[in-house]
Amino acid sequence: NAGVTQTPKFQVLKTGQSMTLQCAQDMNHNSMYWYRQDPGMGLRLIYYSASEGTTDKGEVPNGYNVSRLNKREFSLRLESAAPSQTSVYFCASSEGDGGHNEQFFGPGTRLTVL
Amino acid sequence: SQKIEQNSEALNIQEGKTATLTCNYTNYSPAYLQWYRQDPGRGPVFLLLIRENEKEKRKERLKVTFDTTLKQSLFHITASQPADSATYLCAGGGTGRRALTFGSGTRLQVQP
């Protein structure tokens, strides 16, 4: 039982390059989330998917797109990376949406945009 | 906008003492508050959840309170150990709102 897995662990991009961050969970969870974490800012929600087939914007969606490929997988795409997107990205999942569900987090992807 | 605020200054305490971390919320009334632990270079790990109609919740050496009048949650670690050193995140969520709002976390350092 791997929980939530993320790839890659580290990535360096040049401004304007694109990339996709992959996330998968094996807990049969319905809801999945993408956060970014910056020093002093805490976790900020980028996008989430309450259930397979749905996605919604979070607090900081600009510059990102997501795909809920199936129940297990939720990817985050940066179409044209900018230095402001340098951050640590965490994927999380929960059984359902709503504040009563604990979230399970992946190990994170550390992204640097030059 | 709704906010979860935690003391950004690190908390340093001696081993064996009780650590108390504070979480305040503004501009909304979460139905639930959750606490997570985050170690350097790792993702957060869930610790405890408390509902707005619960005053207190305990789990082993951990205790969390929810004061809707003060709009505050306190997180206590009793008999603290150096292994408790980490960043602790508070998050608020509602029944209608689908996602959690996280605070920026408080770093706890337990000195042996």
Side-chain angles (χ1 to χ4, degrees):
Chain A
N1 210 354
V4 179
T5 56
Q6 292 183 236
T7 54
K9 285 189 167 45
F10 300 93
Q11 184 71 48
V12 179
L13 293 177
K14 293 182 180 177
T15 297
Q17 287 185 315
S18 62
M19 78 162 296
T20 299
L21 281 66
Q22 306 286 355
C23 173
Q25 52 91 9
D26 62 1
M27 295 173 281
N28 201 34
H29 284 168
N30 290 304
S31 302
M32 298 185 73
Y33 312 83
W34 275 106
Y35 294 91
R36 59 177 289 173
Q37 187 173 42
D38 303 292
M41 300 289 288
L43 287 164
R44 291 185 292 168
L45 184 68
I46 305 171
Y47 271 93
Y48 65 98
S49 171
S51 60
E52 188 178 355
T54 69
T55 60
D56 288 284
K57 294 179 180 179
E59 184 186 350
V60 288
N62 291 345
Y64 305 95
N65 285 302
V66 290
S67 295
R68 183 75 183 266
L69 304 168
N70 48 54
K71 193 171 185 180
R72 288 187 64 247
E73 298 171 287
F74 189 39
S75 63
L76 178 72
R77 183 159 178 84
L78 286 70
E79 290 291 351
S80 178
S84 60
Q85 294 178 305
T86 293
S87 187
V88 181
Y89 291 85
F90 288 101
C91 177
S93 71
S94 62
E95 192 172 323
D97 59 1
H100 61 288
N101 287 290
E102 65 177 279
Q103 294 187 10
F104 295 78
F105 284 81
T109 295
R110 189 172 295 273
L111 175 67
T112 301
V113 183
L114 302 174
Chain B
S1 61
Q2 57 194 53
K3 278 189 178 179
I4 295 281
E5 293 172 320
Q6 297 183 257
N7 192 344
S8 59
E9 288 186 23
L11 178 64
N12 291 291
I13 63 167
Q14 287 295 122
E15 184 176 6
K17 301 290 186 187
T18 296
T20 299
L21 285 68
T22 304
C23 170
N24 296 296
Y25 54 91
T26 56
N27 298 329
Y28 81 127
S29 298
Y32 308 91
L33 287 170
Q34 300 188 20
W35 284 87
Y36 290 77
R37 169 184 173 138
Q38 186 174 24
D39 291 289
R42 304 182 80 110
V45 175
F46 172 81
L47 295 174
L48 277 171
L49 177 149
I50 186 167
R51 293 171 170 75
E52 63 178 341
N53 60 356
E54 296 176 315
K55 292 263 191 279
E56 182 180 296
K57 199 87 168 275
R58 290 175 186 262
K59 179 182 175 183
E60 297 171 354
R61 293 185 297 111
L62 308 180
K63 184 178 87 171
V64 63
T65 63
F66 197 157
D67 189 326
T68 55
T69 302
L70 293 178
K71 297 196 169 191
Q72 181 180 84
S73 175
L74 298 179
F75 178 80
H76 307 271
I77 305 175
T78 57
S80 59
Q81 304 164 2
D84 294 325
S85 298
T87 296
Y88 291 86
L89 305 172
C90 175
T95 52
R97 181 168 172 76
R98 291 178 167 181
L100 295 175
T101 299
F102 280 85
S104 57
T106 299
R107 190 163 63 88
L108 173 66
Q109 189 70 37
V110 181
Q111 308 289 348

